[in-house]
Amino acid sequence: MICPHCDQKVPLTWRSYFTSAFGHHLCPACGKRFKIVLTASSVGLLLVVTVIAAGMPAVITFFFVHSFWYTIGAYLVFLVGLVLPFDRWLDNKIRPTKPVH
């Protein structure tokens, strides 16, 4: 992420990813708050990745096992294992930031 106040690169750790509700972060260089902006293209990309990376394995699991609970389990495993790291990568590299006043 890039701080919109001082243009300093701010690393997005897993701790700051999970503790920053609504994408608000604090720049360690200048001490000012900024926010990650959700764009339609990044939300659409995340939705497509979620359907492909978590939804398809869940459908395949249901096809072979015929169990609703195993399907939910497979969905959650792939969601946590693939989609959350991808969303963090989007926050860190792709999504723009804006100052919070």
Side-chain angles (χ1 to χ4, degrees), residues 9-88:
K9 186 174 175 107
V10 179
L12 180 64
T13 63
W14 280 109
R15 182 178 178 173
S16 65
Y17 175 76
F18 284 117
T19 58
S20 65
F22 307 111
H24 290 95
H25 296 279
L26 185 67
C27 178
C30 66
K32 294 182 180 176
R33 295 181 57 80
F34 63 93
K35 176 182 173 142
I36 296 174
V37 179
L38 291 177
T39 60
S41 59
S42 67
V43 171
L45 181 62
L46 185 63
L47 182 64
V48 167
V49 168
T50 301
V51 167
I52 292 171
M56 293 305 293
V59 169
I60 292 169
T61 301
F62 185 77
F63 179 75
F64 285 112
V65 180
H66 300 291
S67 170
F68 175 75
W69 295 111
Y70 282 120
T71 302
I72 295 298
Y75 179 78
L76 292 176
V77 164
F78 282 97
L79 183 72
V80 170
L82 296 173
V83 177
L84 283 180
F86 183 71
D87 183 49
R88 180 177 165 251

